[in-house]
Every structure is written in C-alpha cells, then in structure tokens.
Amino acid sequence: MRRAQVIEVLRGALLPLAWVNAAWLGGSDAFGRADELSDVDLQVDVDDGHVAATFGAVEAALAAASPIVARLVMPMPTWHGHAQRFYRLRDTAEFTAVDVVVFQRSDPRRYYNQTERHGRPLVLFDRAGVVRPAPLDQAELRATLAREVAGIRERLPFTLPLVAKEVRRGDALAALGLWHRHVLAPLVTLYRVRHTPARHDFGTRYTRHDLPAEVQETLAELAFVTGLDDIAAKLPTAERLPGELLDELG
C-alpha cells in the first residue's frame, strides 16, 4: 500500500462517524515535505467519550486494508495529555508508521499544533470548524528560552569536564555517551534558540530544515567521532562554541 492509500483508508473510516468532528494530518504533511518514507501523523477531534470507538474504527479499517503487524498504545497520561497509538502495517513501506492522536472535544489542550512549531495542518475534513492552529505564546516562549539558556550556562562548567575526565581514563563508551549528552545536545539547543526558537526543544530532528548549512556541518563534525583521540581533538571546539553562543544570546 502506498502512503496516500493509507490516508484515504483513514479518511474513509472516520468521515461517516457522527462523533468525529475533524481529522487532519500533521508531521511532514503539515510542512509539505511528505514522501513515501514519511509517517502518517493523523490527529482526530471527537466528541467526549468516543476515544475508544474512534480507535476501534481506525484499527478495523487499517486491518481490512492490510494486516496490522505491530501496535503501540501509549500509556496515559501521554506528554501531551491525549490518547495516542501507533501502527505498522504489513503492506506499507517498512519506514511508514501510522501515528494517531485523538482529542476529546471539551479538552482545552486539544490543539497543540502551533504553526511555528508544527506547520499548517493538512485537513482531511472539518465539519465543525475546529482545526484552528493555536497561536504561539511569545511571552511564554521567551521565558522558556531564558530558562533553557540559563540552565545550560549553569551546567556547562560541571558537565564539560566529565567528557575530558573519561577521555583521560580511556573509557571510550563513557566518553561517547557524555559527549552526546553534555556536549552535542546543549549545543544543538543553543543553535536552535539562535535560529529556530519556536522549535528549540526538537533536538537533532529536522535540523536539515531548521538550521543553516554551516551549522549543520559543524554539528555533524562534532557528532561523528571515531574514538577517544577524536573526542580529545574536538574538545577545544566543543568548549569554545557554547561560550560564543551564550555570549551572543545574552
């Protein structure tokens, strides 16, 4: 099955259900970047009390189109507070998963797809006019960014030496883990605060779209290390760059 067929199966299953107010696609579809390797990120707004029935309809339709070979039910509460399940189908591309989030109509948190963070929803149908991307709270964002930057500034004097310590001990696995956790991760966050503040917490995902080419090259050079000697050689750069970004960000 091609990805477009999966989407049509989902739309066909949900449209006849009176309790389903709207269905739309997020993820790569919301940015116009979907290809055959992309997941299907389906979001559904339903009347209260119909979450289980909605998942039942989705699963029945998917199973009729192609056997479901794996299903993941996220434990509640999820990080966003809404019911979420993932599916893999036998007859789709191996990289294509179906990710379904169901919002109950009365839940005030039902929309978390701010355009700046998640793009513009690709609406499959919306008979209640409920697909309205929420505006990003700029004051809240500024406060969040300030906390992120302050936290990194406070931690770096203590975390950067941890890498050098393990390099001296000759513990390659420990050094590598600390390198990615305490060097690369905060550096990615600082570059994101600088270039894509609304997506400061997206980590290394979508960096090819979000960050300038020269920043991507710098991060890739630091990320792909060949061993202890390479980590040791790159430590001076790893210590210099965060300081420069912190000075710039204030």
Side-chain angles (χ1 to χ4, degrees):
M1 290 180 67
R2 297 184 66 83
R3 190 173 178 277
Q5 293 174 282
V6 176
I7 294 170
E8 189 52 40
V9 165
L10 293 167
R11 182 181 183 278
L14 295 171
L15 185 58
L17 304 179
W19 67 79
V20 176
N21 301 307
W24 64 97
L25 300 177
S28 55
D29 288 287
F31 288 95
R33 300 173 185 155
D35 57 28
E36 285 300 317
L37 299 178
S38 299
D39 292 338
V40 176
D41 295 296
L42 178 69
Q43 299 170 29
V44 190
D45 182 295
V46 304
D47 291 340
D48 290 7
H50 289 84
V51 173
T54 302
F55 279 117
V58 165
E59 292 182 14
L62 291 176
S66 173
I68 298 172
V69 296
R71 183 180 76 150
L72 174 62
V73 179
M74 299 304 292
M76 292 293 287
T78 57
W79 68 267
H80 45 66
H82 311 288
Q84 183 173 22
R85 298 184 185 183
F86 296 84
Y87 305 94
R88 286 200 174 275
L89 307 180
R90 185 192 67 187
D91 301 316
T92 58
E94 62 177 313
F95 300 108
T96 302
V98 180
D99 174 1
V100 183
V101 179
V102 178
F103 303 78
Q104 294 203 78
R105 189 72 185 91
S106 67
D107 193 329
R109 303 165 301 176
R110 65 183 176 275
Y111 300 114
Y112 59 89
N113 49 0
Q114 300 98 334
T115 301
E116 298 92 334
R117 285 175 60 81
H118 301 292
R120 297 186 177 277
L122 180 59
V123 178
L124 301 182
F125 64 89
D126 183 6
R127 48 182 160 236
V130 299
V131 185
R132 299 183 301 274
L136 193 62
D137 187 324
Q138 294 298 326
E140 181 180 344
L141 176 61
R142 287 192 296 272
T144 299
L145 296 179
R147 288 194 300 270
E148 286 282 348
V149 172
I152 291 173
R153 190 190 307 276
E154 292 172 356
R155 291 190 297 269
L156 278 179
F158 300 96
T159 55
L160 281 179
L162 296 176
V163 179
K165 182 189 299 186
E166 298 306 328
V167 169
R168 290 196 178 190
R169 285 173 172 164
D171 192 332
L173 286 178
L176 181 62
L178 292 167
W179 177 259
H180 281 274
R181 180 178 178 181
H182 294 308
V183 173
L184 191 66
L187 193 56
V188 169
T189 298
L190 290 174
Y191 274 123
R192 281 193 168 279
V193 170
R194 171 66 180 82
H195 295 284
T196 56
R199 290 157 68 94
H200 65 279
D201 54 347
F202 275 49
T204 55
R205 295 196 71 190
Y206 315 118
T207 51
R208 66 192 180 103
H209 301 296
D210 291 347
L211 298 179
E214 63 272 18
V215 172
Q216 295 178 49
E217 292 172 7
T218 297
L219 291 173
E221 176 66 22
L222 290 173
F224 294 100
V225 293
T226 58
L228 285 171
D229 290 343
D230 198 18
I231 292 176
K234 292 175 179 176
L235 267 173
T237 301
E239 293 169 348
R240 173 179 55 83
L241 288 177
E244 291 177 353
L245 284 165
L246 286 168
D247 288 343
E248 181 181 348
L249 294 169

